[in-house]
Amino acid sequence: MCGIVGYIGYREAYPIVIKGLKRLEYRGYDSAGIMLYNGNDLAISKTKGKVSDLEEKSKALSESKATIGMGHTRWATHGVPNDVNSHPHVSNSGNLVIIHNGIIENYEPLKKELIKRGYTFTSDTDTEVLVNLIEDVQKKDNLKIGKAVQVALNQVVGAYAICVFDKQKPDEIVVARLGSPLAIGIGDNEFFIASDASPFIEYTSNAIYLEDEEMAIVRLHKPLKIRKIKDDTLVDPYVQELQMNLEQIEKGGYDHFMLKEIYEQPNVIKDTYRGRLLANQGIIQMAGVEDNIERFLNAQRILIIACGTSWHAGLVAEYIIEEFARIPVEVEYASEFRYRNPIINKEDVVIAISQSGETADTLAAIKLAKEKGAFVFGVCNVVGSSISRETHAGAYTHAGPEIGVASTKAFTTQITVLTMLALRLAKAKGTLSNSDFHRYLQELEVIPEKVAEALESNDTAKEIADKFKDASNCLYLGRGYNFPVALEGALKLKEISYIHAEGYPAAEMKHGPIALIDEQMPVVVIAPKQGHYDKVVSNIQEIKSRSGKIIAVVTKGDVQVKQLADHIIEIPETSDALSPLITTIPLQLLSYHIAVLRGCNVDQPRNLAKSVTVE
C-alpha cells in the first residue's frame, strides 16, 4: 500500500514520475502528489483521488524541465484522504520535502515536542511530523541532510520507506527503509527510486533493494553509498538484474489486469513447475527443499503462516501435505500469530506464503519464528523481496507481476509450489506408493491444459453473472480440498464487487448458514466428481428444498447435479487433491464479470491495497 516514485538524472522528471505512479496504482491509494525541482524553484501538486486527477491538476507542471522529482500515492492511515494530508509534505522552512510509506507510531509525543519548539502543522499526518523532526535535528546540530535523516530515524518508532529532498543539497535524494519496500534503479548517470521496480523497468534492468534499517544518499555523478541507520556502518550494495519486463506490466489488450492474469494461469503454472517437475523421470527437484530435506523430514509439524488469498493457499497445502506426506500441519493468520504467544519448537518448519514478499504481518511472524529457532521456508512471487531475504530457504512461484489487487494467478501458482513440496516430501518419506506418486506427477504436468479448458467457461460465467449481479449476499460451499476454494471464491466476490459473501464447508451449512437461504440467496457449490460428491449432492438438495438459487461447478458430463442446479459451470476432470487448481478458475471469472457488470473498479477495489506493508 502507498507508492513511492523518485527520479534524479538528466531526463525530464515529470513524465517519469507520473508514469511511475500509474504503474503503482495497483498498490491501493486514495490520493496522489508530485514534487519537482528545476534548480531554482520547488513545485508541488497533490490531490485527493486518482493519479489521473493529479495529472489534471498538475498540467502546468507537465511543461517543467526539472530533472529531479518525487511522487506518491497515499493510502490513508493518519488523517482522512484529502488534499492537505496527501504527500509530499514540506518542512516549516520550506527547504525539506518528504514522501513516506508506513506509520510512525510515536508521532504524537514527537509532534507535541516540536510544537513546543515553535513548529506548526497543517495536516493530520505522521509524515509531516517526521519531516519537521528531520529539520529540527538538522538545525539543532548543524547537520547535512543525510546525517539529519539518520539521527531522526533513530528517534522514531514504526515502519517507513522515505525519500527526502533538501533544496540546499539539490543534487541528491536521501532514502531509507524499515518494514516498507524500497528499490533503487541504477542507470547511466541517473537513479530511479520506487516501491518496486515496475516504474523504471524500461529505463534500467539493474536495481538495489534496500534492507530493513538501511539508508542511502542517491547523488548525481557519485557512487551509491548504503549505510546502516543504527550504527552508520557501510553496506556493500548488491545489484540485482530485474526479472520482469515491460510487457508483463501492461494489459496486453485485456480490459483489466485481473482478466489478463486469470488467463495467464496456464502459462504461469507451467513456468512455476518448469525445471522442477520431471514427470517422465519421476522427479521433483526444488533446490530450497533438497538443500534442507532433513529439516522437513524431521519436522514434528509444519506451521503455515499467511494472510488473505495466501492463507487460503495454505489451507489447501494443509490438506495436501497431511494427505501425501503425513506430517501434521497448522495454518495460521500471520496477523494473529504474531500477537499471541504461539508455541514454536526448534523442530518445527514454518512455511511463510506471500505474493509480494512484503506483507508486514507475515514478515513479523517470520522474525518471531526465527527467534524461536524454527526453520523458515518462504513461498513468494517477487524476486529480491523481503520474505525471500528473511527466510532460511524458499521457492519462487514465477507468476510474473500481479497487478490486479485481487489475487488470481498468485493463488494457483502458490498451490502448485506447495503441491510439489508435498509430493517431494511424500517421496522421501515413502508415504505415497510409487504408482500414486507417478500418477500425481503426470496429472500435475497436464494441469495447465486443464486450466486452459476451464477458461472456456468464460461466456457461461458472464451469463450467470448477469443474473446475479444485483444480489446482496452469496454463499460459497465446498468440501475437503475445495473448502478453501469456497473461501477464496467468496473473498474474490467481496473484494471486487462489494457483494457480501461467505465461504463454508458444505457440511457446516446446517450449523447456521442454512437459515439465510431463500429464493433471493445465490449459493455457489463446488461439486466436482472426485471427492465427497454424494455428500455435496445431499447439501444441494437441502438448498433446493429451501428455494436457494444454485450455481454449481461440476465435472464435465455430470448428470446428477445438473438436474438440481439452476446453473452449472463445467470443468475438466482431475484428481481430488489437484482439483483446487481447476475449480477456482470459474469462481474467478464469475467474480470478475459480476464486478464489471456492477461498474466496479476491478483492478483497484475501494479501500484495498495489493500489498499490506503496514498494520
Side-chain angles (χ1 to χ4, degrees):
M1 57 181 60
C2 298
I4 279 176
V5 179
Y7 177 76
I8 181 168
Y10 59 88
R11 307 175 198 260
E12 291 182 9
Y14 179 85
I16 293 172
V17 174
I18 288 293
K19 185 190 296 182
L21 292 178
K22 289 179 179 178
R23 296 261 175 86
L24 294 178
E25 285 188 295
Y26 74 92
R27 296 175 66 87
Y29 71 107
D30 46 52
S31 53
I34 189 171
M35 180 280 289
L36 298 172
Y37 185 70
N38 63 8
N40 296 304
D41 301 315
L42 196 67
I44 292 177
S45 179
K46 53 186 186 174
T47 183
K48 175 185 175 182
K50 297 295 183 182
V51 176
S52 57
D53 299 315
L54 175 65
E55 258 191 305
E56 184 66 27
K57 188 173 182 179
S58 62
K59 274 184 176 177
L61 298 185
S62 65
E63 303 299 321
S64 172
K65 302 300 181 183
T67 56
I68 296 177
M70 304 192 306
H72 189 263
T73 52
R74 176 179 186 253
W75 195 85
T77 53
H78 296 100
V80 299
N82 61 28
D83 292 5
V84 174
N85 288 331
S86 304
H87 297 209
H89 286 284
V90 183
S91 65
N92 275 194
S93 70
N95 287 331
L96 305 188
V97 184
I98 191 172
I99 53 178
H100 165 224
N101 293 352
I103 296 176
I104 305 303
E105 295 175 7
N106 63 334
Y107 84 101
E108 285 192 22
L110 291 172
K111 185 174 185 178
K112 288 177 182 177
E113 183 62 30
L114 289 169
I115 289 172
K116 287 180 184 177
R117 298 187 189 190
Y119 287 85
T120 58
F121 297 89
T122 58
S123 77
D124 301 315
T125 68
D126 52 341
T127 304
E128 191 183 9
V129 174
L130 180 56
V131 72
N132 281 300
L133 174 64
I134 295 168
E135 178 163 284
D136 188 62
V137 168
Q138 186 183 35
K139 286 181 177 178
K140 186 170 58 176
D141 298 326
N142 193 28
L143 299 175
K144 292 182 179 179
I145 183 60
K147 190 64 178 179
V149 169
Q150 182 183 10
V151 172
L153 290 178
N154 276 304
Q155 298 179 33
V156 304
V157 177
Y160 53 78
I162 60 170
C163 296
V164 183
F165 175 76
D166 182 355
K167 283 202 304 184
Q168 297 173 323
K169 298 284 287 183
D171 61 345
E172 66 184 46
I173 297 174
V174 182
V175 298
R177 75 154 283 185
L178 173 61
S180 291
L182 201 64
I184 302 170
I186 303 169
D188 185 10
N189 197 31
E190 61 182 345
F191 292 95
F192 306 83
I193 303 157
S195 297
D196 63 44
S198 60
F200 55 77
I201 188 64
E202 67 258 55
Y203 302 107
T204 180
S205 59
N206 296 317
I208 291 170
Y209 292 88
L210 288 187
E211 300 279 1
D212 273 351
E213 299 185 327
E214 287 183 353
M215 63 175 291
I217 300 176
V218 183
R219 296 188 181 100
L220 286 176
H221 311 295
K222 291 185 179 180
L224 188 70
K225 287 189 176 180
I226 300 174
R227 296 180 181 274
K228 288 289 185 183
I229 294 168
K230 285 192 179 295
D231 58 17
D232 202 40
T233 56
L234 281 172
V235 177
D236 290 332
Y238 173 57
V239 180
Q240 295 192 31
E241 186 174 351
L242 298 174
Q243 301 299 310
M244 69 173 72
N245 58 55
L246 190 60
E247 183 181 350
Q248 289 178 307
I249 58 173
E250 301 293 347
K251 289 181 184 175
Y254 288 90
D255 290 339
H256 298 92
F257 281 110
M258 182 181 178
L259 187 61
K260 178 193 176 194
E261 289 155 9
I262 289 172
Y263 272 87
E264 285 177 339
Q265 287 174 110
N267 288 332
V268 296
I269 290 172
K270 192 175 293 185
D271 289 342
T272 294
Y273 70 57
R274 180 178 286 115
R276 294 165 166 171
L277 171 65
L278 306 174
N280 290 337
Q281 301 175 46
I283 293 173
I284 286 180
Q285 51 188 19
M286 302 169 69
V289 178
E290 299 302 324
D291 294 344
N292 301 280
I293 192 71
E294 293 302 320
R295 293 300 302 263
F296 281 100
L297 297 181
N298 295 327
Q300 292 184 353
R301 64 171 177 168
I302 292 175
L303 281 166
I304 297 178
I305 52 176
C307 299
T309 288
S310 297
W311 187 79
H312 297 154
L315 285 179
V316 175
E318 177 184 19
Y319 283 70
I320 295 173
I321 293 170
E322 290 193 343
E323 174 75 19
F324 290 179
R326 307 309 295 162
I327 301 172
V329 179
E330 297 176 22
V331 185
E332 298 263 6
Y333 282 113
S335 54
E336 288 296 311
F337 184 80
R338 63 179 292 201
Y339 283 116
R340 59 183 184 83
N341 188 19
I343 298 171
I344 308 171
N345 300 309
K346 292 182 179 179
E347 296 79 13
D348 290 336
V349 168
V350 173
I351 299 177
I353 312 172
S354 166
Q355 187 282 136
S356 68
E358 302 292 348
T359 309
D361 287 322
T362 306
L363 277 166
I366 288 170
K367 292 174 182 177
L368 175 61
K370 288 171 69 177
E371 288 170 7
K372 301 288 187 179
F375 173 74
V376 184
F377 185 88
V379 176
C380 64
N381 185 37
V382 180
V383 176
S385 60
S386 296
I387 284 177
S388 69
R389 298 194 300 269
E390 283 288 340
T391 48
H392 295 112
Y396 288 115
T397 55
H398 301 306
E402 189 177 64
I403 307 300
V405 167
S407 277
T408 51
K409 62 180 180 174
F411 181 64
T412 48
T413 53
Q414 286 166 355
I415 292 173
T416 302
V417 163
L418 294 163
T419 301
M420 289 191 293
L421 170 64
L423 286 167
R424 178 65 186 91
L425 298 181
K427 177 70 171 176
K429 292 189 69 179
T431 48
L432 269 182
S433 68
N434 280 334
S435 59
D436 283 344
F437 178 74
H438 284 275
R439 177 171 57 84
Y440 280 119
L441 262 57
Q442 291 165 0
E443 182 64 23
L444 185 56
E445 188 176 48
V446 298
I447 281 292
E449 297 169 23
K450 295 188 176 184
V451 170
E453 190 177 344
L455 286 166
E456 294 173 7
S457 67
N458 181 62
D459 289 344
T460 302
K462 189 173 182 179
E463 291 173 10
I464 296 170
D466 188 52
K467 297 180 186 300
F468 294 102
K469 66 181 185 296
D470 298 320
S472 300
N473 299 281
C474 189
L475 192 61
Y476 285 71
L477 302 177
R479 278 181 178 260
Y481 290 101
N482 284 298
F483 160 52
V485 176
L487 293 174
E488 174 63 11
L491 177 62
K492 287 293 148 291
L493 191 67
K494 284 184 282 194
E495 284 180 315
I496 62 172
S497 75
Y498 318 137
I499 295 173
H500 176 256
E502 295 296 334
Y504 269 88
E508 285 294 302
M509 181 181 63
K510 288 181 283 190
H511 294 270
I514 198 167
L516 300 172
I517 294 174
D518 60 20
E519 64 276 1
Q520 302 300 319
M521 171 69 84
V523 182
V524 179
V525 184
I526 306 163
K529 181 179 177 181
Q530 301 291 339
H532 309 281
Y533 181 77
D534 291 338
K535 298 290 186 183
V536 174
V537 170
S538 296
N539 295 136
I540 291 173
Q541 289 170 331
E542 291 167 338
I543 298 164
K544 190 72 174 176
S545 66
R546 288 159 179 83
S547 302
K549 300 300 180 184
I550 300 165
I551 304 163
V553 177
V554 299
T555 304
K556 280 189 176 179
D558 181 282
V559 175
Q560 198 169 358
V561 173
K562 187 175 183 179
Q563 293 174 343
L564 296 170
D566 297 275
H567 306 278
I568 63 163
I569 303 176
E570 292 187 318
I571 57 169
E573 184 175 355
T574 189
S575 66
D576 190 25
L578 301 184
S579 63
L581 291 164
I582 310 294
T583 55
T584 194
I585 302 301
L587 304 189
Q588 294 171 352
L589 292 169
L590 185 64
S591 296
Y592 170 79
H593 287 298
I594 288 175
V596 170
L597 290 168
R598 287 169 65 90
C600 300
N601 189 335
V602 173
D603 288 333
Q604 300 165 38
R606 67 189 183 204
N607 302 330
L608 294 180
K610 181 64 179 173
S611 177
V612 182
T613 57
V614 296
E615 294 183 61

